[in-house]
Amino acid sequence: MADELQSFLGTGWSFPPTFTKSTDMVQMVSNVQDIEQSLLIILSTIPGERLMRPEFGCDLKRLVFEINDSTLIANFNHIIYHALLNFEPRVNFIEAIIINRDELDGVLQVQVNFEIITTNTRHNIVFPFYLQGEGTNVSI
């Protein structure tokens, strides 16, 4: 726990929030893991979803019904760049790359490459983006 408090990259609650039974304390994450979880929260939050911060999030949902082409990749990069610029000051966005296309299930695996400013190290996370709306798999 002392190492987590000494972390210069930050320490925060784990996501989703979990509690340890032995200490009745919330589980904490630090360093790169804290940044990665922060990025996943930003990417999966729709602007307007948080009542007290309506501008927070990344508006990727507007790309749900777009054609899977180079314009989609450019839009991904543009939207993610601005979301990380506004809401995650510890990183510089490098690029987003589509690494897996499962068009039958409507899922794109998007690799988000970023650089941690303080340590000047490059990292990436893989974010699943669902091309179909949640109500599209309706059985009759």
Side-chain angles (χ1 to χ4, degrees), residues 64-65 105 131-139:
V64 168
F65 296 107
D105 288 333
L131 292 171
Q132 299 176 349
E134 291 179 328
T136 59
N137 292 333
V138 178
S139 59

Side-chain angles (χ1 to χ4, degrees), residues 22-49:
S22 60
T23 61
D24 290 332
M25 300 284 291
V26 69
Q27 185 176 346
M28 305 295 278
V29 291
S30 296
N31 298 319
V32 176
Q33 188 178 11
D34 182 42
I35 292 173
E36 289 174 349
Q37 288 188 6
S38 173
L39 294 178
L40 290 173
I41 290 168
I42 292 168
L43 294 175
S44 61
T45 302
I46 302 167
E49 189 173 341

Side-chain angles (χ1 to χ4, degrees), residues 100-112:
N100 187 16
R101 298 175 188 212
D102 187 354
E103 294 179 9
L104 184 61
D105 288 333
V107 179
L108 295 178
Q109 296 288 329
V110 180
Q111 178 178 317
V112 178

